[in-house]
Amino acid sequence: MFYHKKPLQYFTPPESPDPVYAKKIQELIGGTFGEMTVMMQYLFQGWNCRGPAKYKDMLLDVGTEEIGHIEMLATMIAHLLDKAPIKMQEDGAKDPIVGAVMGGSNPRDVIAAAMNPQHAIVSGLGATASDSVGYPWNGRFIVASGNLLADFRSNLHAESQGRLQAVRMYEMSNDPGVKDTLSFMIARDTMHQNLWLAAIEDLQDSGLEDTPVPSSFPQELEKQEFSYQFWNHSEGTDSAEGRWAKGKSIDGKGEFEYVANPQPLGPEPQPPQPDPRLHGTAKTPQPPTTDKPNLIERIGDMLTGDNE
């Protein structure tokens, strides 16, 4: 059960409207690393968690917190769009895009800097579930694998990218209210990066998961002679100076080895020839297909395992 309280987690309103900045803030809501992504990612990880209760509870705590962050940003966008112009001037010469063409500047720069028209047309001067260029938020952005170590690493990545974007947005504004609100969200991103590092450490110390993920797969079933080799696949050997190229592996289970000139270990590919009923181009002319089962029957045979 979710329970909503009306006061925001934190909020300082902007001092003046700024519809262009409102368009940019959409990235922090519906972008790949926006609050909608981390909200859904943590909630689905929590709902799917079959491990110790402390991990499930923590995931649902943080996922629910992120709902509040979206509410803060949506409220900020509403303030930034307040009294925003919703009708272009009728004088075509004053149209900024027309002026850009006549003045020799790039119209794309003007379009990119303009207010998001969907804020007026679609949402009535409110936030939308999309990024800063209007691309709708997508559930494919989230990671919820059921393996907590893999998921916690994805969470650390998401919070790192999210804090980076929030800091960039902070630098793009001179409005004290905007900067104050973002400073709270940046602080929470700091906590959440530390949270996921702590959760990774806690999970590994518990013995439930370890590197490599999934640690439950027996390493003797992989080609272990290649497990800790670094392959130099570009010109130059500067990569040989890195921690990944020598010494004990990070998981403590092997020794890094630098391979300066890796060689192919497989044959030249010889793809199988196409089924004549698909009418692909084969190496040699193909006979007519009238005496063979039709394609639907052939696919049915493949699904049932009857390939004769």
Side-chain angles (χ1 to χ4, degrees), residues 55-98:
Y55 298 123
K56 184 182 186 74
D57 191 37
M58 177 268 290
L59 284 161
L60 296 178
D61 285 339
V62 187
T64 305
E65 177 187 352
E66 302 293 2
I67 301 175
H69 292 178
I70 298 171
E71 185 178 28
M72 289 165 55
L73 291 172
T75 304
M76 179 64 73
I77 285 177
H79 280 270
L80 290 168
L81 293 173
D82 183 46
K83 300 181 179 63
I86 59 173
K87 182 179 180 182
M88 296 294 293
Q89 296 186 27
E90 295 180 0
D91 186 354
K94 294 181 180 179
D95 186 295
I97 299 176
V98 174

Side-chain angles (χ1 to χ4, degrees), residues 191-241:
M191 171 56 195
H192 291 161
Q193 286 187 40
N194 280 275
L195 182 156
W196 298 121
L197 286 167
I200 289 168
E201 180 183 282
D202 187 273
L203 188 64
Q204 291 180 301
D205 288 347
S206 73
L208 289 171
E209 296 291 348
D210 203 356
T211 301
V213 174
S215 54
S216 55
F217 182 80
Q219 280 196 266
E220 59 267 22
L221 297 181
E222 66 185 72
K223 300 283 186 182
Q224 289 182 284
E225 62 269 34
F226 307 115
S227 294
Y228 301 101
Q229 289 183 345
F230 180 90
W231 288 15
N232 176 38
H233 271 289
S234 61
E235 192 173 84
T237 57
D238 292 341
S239 55
E241 303 304 314

Side-chain angles (χ1 to χ4, degrees), residues 236-251:
T237 57
D238 292 341
S239 55
E241 303 304 314
R243 170 66 179 86
W244 51 82
K246 53 185 177 292
K248 198 74 174 176
S249 63
I250 300 301
D251 62 13

Side-chain angles (χ1 to χ4, degrees), residues 8-269:
L8 295 168
Q9 281 184 36
Y10 187 95
F11 188 73
T12 303
E15 290 191 352
S16 58
D18 188 341
V20 175
Y21 194 79
K23 176 181 178 181
K24 296 175 183 177
I25 283 220
Q26 283 289 159
E27 193 67 31
L28 301 186
I29 292 181
T32 306
F33 302 108
E35 301 292 341
M36 288 187 65
T37 294
V38 290
M39 174 195 74
M40 296 299 285
Q41 182 155 309
Y42 303 161
L43 290 177
F44 270 96
Q45 288 176 8
W47 292 328
N48 293 341
C49 180
R50 290 167 172 78
K54 63 179 178 180
Y55 298 123
K56 184 182 186 74
D57 191 37
M58 177 268 290
L59 284 161
L60 296 178
D61 285 339
V62 187
T64 305
E65 177 187 352
E66 302 293 2
I67 301 175
H69 292 178
I70 298 171
E71 185 178 28
M72 289 165 55
L73 291 172
T75 304
M76 179 64 73
I77 285 177
H79 280 270
L80 290 168
L81 293 173
D82 183 46
K83 300 181 179 63
I86 59 173
K87 182 179 180 182
M88 296 294 293
Q89 296 186 27
E90 295 180 0
D91 186 354
K94 294 181 180 179
D95 186 295
I97 299 176
V98 174
V101 174
M102 296 176 65
S105 60
N106 191 332
R108 287 177 297 180
D109 296 337
V110 178
I111 294 170
M115 172 185 178
N116 179 357
Q118 289 192 339
H119 278 156
I121 300 167
V122 177
S123 63
L125 302 185
T128 62
S130 58
D131 66 13
S132 55
V133 295
Y135 186 84
W137 183 83
N138 195 315
R140 290 184 179 271
F141 295 161
I142 75 167
V143 174
S145 70
N147 183 291
L148 289 179
L149 185 52
D151 286 351
F152 291 171
R153 287 174 173 173
S154 295
N155 298 349
L156 177 61
H157 168 238
E159 292 287 351
S160 301
Q161 293 291 340
R163 188 175 188 274
L164 174 62
Q165 293 183 358
V167 165
R168 287 172 173 169
M169 290 294 299
Y170 181 94
E171 301 287 3
M172 292 178 187
S173 177
N174 293 318
D175 189 296
V178 170
K179 293 175 85 75
D180 187 62
T181 300
L182 286 179
S183 70
F184 170 83
M185 299 190 70
I186 290 167
R188 296 308 295 158
D189 289 341
T190 297
M191 171 56 195
H192 291 161
Q193 286 187 40
N194 280 275
L195 182 156
W196 298 121
L197 286 167
I200 289 168
E201 180 183 282
D202 187 273
L203 188 64
Q204 291 180 301
D205 288 347
S206 73
L208 289 171
E209 296 291 348
D210 203 356
T211 301
V213 174
S215 54
S216 55
F217 182 80
Q219 280 196 266
E220 59 267 22
L221 297 181
E222 66 185 72
K223 300 283 186 182
Q224 289 182 284
E225 62 269 34
F226 307 115
S227 294
Y228 301 101
Q229 289 183 345
F230 180 90
W231 288 15
N232 176 38
H233 271 289
S234 61
E235 192 173 84
T237 57
D238 292 341
S239 55
E241 303 304 314
R243 170 66 179 86
W244 51 82
K246 53 185 177 292
K248 198 74 174 176
S249 63
I250 300 301
D251 62 13
K253 300 173 184 176
E255 290 283 330
F256 286 131
E257 176 189 356
Y258 188 83
V259 180
N261 186 27
Q263 297 299 308
L265 301 173
E268 183 178 337

